[in-house]
Amino acid sequence: MGGNLASILLIFVSVSLVSCYSRPEDFLQCMSELTASKSSVHLFNPSSKEYANLFNVSQQNTRWMNSTSSTNPVFIFTPSEESEIQAAVVCAKRHRLEVRAKSGGHDYEGLSFRSQNPFVMVDLVNFRAINVDINNETAWVQAGATLGEVYYNIAKKSGVHAFPGGVCPSVGVGGHISGGGFGLLLRKYGLAADNVVDARIIDVNGRVLDRNAMGEDLFWAIRGGGGASFSVITAWKIKLVRVPPTTTVFKVTRRLNESATKIFHKWQLIGSTLPEEVFIQVMATVDRSNGGFFKTIFSSLFLGKKSELLPLMNARFPELGLQETDCQEMPWIKAQLHFAGANSTEALLNRVTPNRNSYKAKSDYVKDPIPESGLEGIWKRFLEGSDHKMYMIMDPYGGKMDEISESALPFPHRKGNLYNVQYLLQWYNNDPAKANGHMAWLRDHYSYMEQFVSRSPRAAYLNYKDLDLGMNAQKNGSTSFSEAKVWGERYFKGNFERLARVKGLVDPEDFFGNEQSIPPLLI
């Protein structure tokens, strides 16, 4: 880079009072000045072939392909050094362009690659270095790496270390951790964000900050509060966790005529109370083949051998009828592959989700078991739907999650929650009328579920982002803290005010704003 950080900040301060422009060529000129033209090889405009390829790959959710409801990036920027991101933040701020950072492209509402306002998409595809330190049981992971790449690199160094992130290997770690992040090791080790010990970010003034430089308030906020509201995250230092050399997995399907309702009801009672080494996820859906039938799928990871698991299941969950033949023993890395539906370790390195489709999701938390009569009503609604794939994916809490305070991180959904629900609706025909019909069905189902889930507020999980909960004003001015509470307290409960105060300190003008970013609350 031609200039160092000091020269970038000096140029920024000297022009901060100059009238701003948002012409693309002004941004390009600024970038050329601050990076000695180095950035030009990483900047792509809509007329370039590279832009089209990058933008297409960015959209893991195809719901917005060919959409006219939002603005595409003015530029797509693929930096390879932090100094280039520093320059992009300074130049975008100077010329009134937004910055949207994309690590994996899995944002459920597409906010990393679309906006109502002109913006630069900072694609972190070149920020994928992973440095695993087994001796200290840590790893520095750049924000553009995927979970699959992280797991692959850990497994290369050790068969008894892991990281408690999600199941989908193509999810980027930048956004996953900043929203909390959870997976198969949730009940044993908590969230991905619970296992972060340091970070590197580019702040609103273009400075590179680590944990010590940013301070504990901002470090708290980016681990579960949505990092995109505060900065561009470039890397996380994660804490590795111990797993046994042998784990056990099973997948058992039960239909309605196989007592699925009674079995699921029992799971509600024991799923969060089993030993923390046991994680049993349940997915409810309708199989449209052979006339269509409802089924529940019980999928489990146990940190140990099946000879230990089977007696435990027979004692605590005999209704499931688990058999030795249902169980497979394998290393932790193979268990991740098993849950991801992948066949080889190399499949973890695939950055694009196979068979991409359109989807919309919503989320809930359940604190009290849903009665069997209520479950029967839910299953009936599933069977009445058609022309789409609908899933209710339910992950048990308890274990380590019960031991961590609601205010330890912005993610507040700890003790008292039996399980989390993700309502995931998928479809392949992206005709707008059909898409609207699918989403109307999902919203109606979500309304029906209100009687069974958490209240005051009806809680939601940030990484299952849902703009139906509320949106910030974009083109017509800023959103106040009181207005944003409508959606903010559903994600963060009592932590929302602290997040807004941190935002007011580090980004008072809301440069890192989006449709559901934390609003600044000025003290």
Side-chain angles (χ1 to χ4, degrees), residues 124-135:
L124 297 172
V125 64
N126 295 323
F127 272 70
R128 292 160 57 192
I130 299 169
N131 183 15
V132 177
D133 182 351
I134 290 297
N135 290 334

Side-chain angles (χ1 to χ4, degrees), residues 230-306:
F230 303 95
S231 64
V232 176
I233 295 169
T234 62
W236 300 105
K237 186 178 183 180
I238 61 175
K239 179 174 62 178
L240 305 184
V241 300
R242 294 288 185 99
V243 291
T246 301
T247 70
T248 302
V249 300
F250 69 75
K251 181 179 291 186
V252 174
T253 299
R254 294 290 181 258
R255 302 187 189 186
L256 290 177
N257 62 0
E258 297 172 312
S259 302
T261 301
K262 289 186 178 297
I263 295 171
F264 179 83
H265 187 265
K266 178 63 177 290
W267 172 85
Q268 292 184 107
L269 301 175
I270 58 94
S272 63
T273 66
L274 289 168
E276 61 187 11
E277 290 78 15
V278 184
F279 180 89
I280 306 176
Q281 179 193 79
V282 184
M283 182 171 68
T285 189
V286 171
D287 190 323
R288 299 290 176 190
S289 63
N290 300 319
F293 58 90
F294 178 84
K295 62 183 180 181
T296 52
I297 304 171
F298 295 80
S299 301
S300 178
L301 170 70
F302 172 63
L303 299 176
K305 297 181 178 180
K306 61 184 177 182

Side-chain angles (χ1 to χ4, degrees), residues 484-519:
K485 283 175 66 176
V486 172
W487 58 264
E489 290 191 344
R490 297 179 71 166
Y491 290 131
F492 306 112
K493 299 173 69 174
N495 296 328
F496 184 58
E497 181 172 344
R498 182 180 174 188
L499 284 168
R501 291 186 182 277
V502 174
K503 173 76 169 184
L505 290 173
V506 303
D507 185 15
E509 296 180 357
D510 198 24
F511 172 71
F512 288 115
N514 62 49
E515 288 81 349
Q516 256 189 16
S517 58
I518 305 297

Side-chain angles (χ1 to χ4, degrees), residues 405-417:
S405 165
E406 284 192 359
S407 60
L409 293 183
F411 180 102
H413 315 296
R414 306 288 188 167
K415 189 174 183 179
N417 292 290

Side-chain angles (χ1 to χ4, degrees), residues 192-237:
D194 291 325
N195 293 275
V196 170
V197 296
D198 204 344
R200 290 178 67 86
I201 68 170
I202 311 297
D203 78 349
V204 69
N205 295 313
R207 300 175 299 175
V208 178
L209 305 176
D210 62 8
R211 177 177 183 172
N212 183 60
M214 76 177 78
E216 288 303 302
D217 282 342
L218 182 52
F219 185 60
W220 173 85
I222 63 175
R223 291 175 297 148
S229 290
F230 303 95
S231 64
V232 176
I233 295 169
T234 62
W236 300 105
K237 186 178 183 180

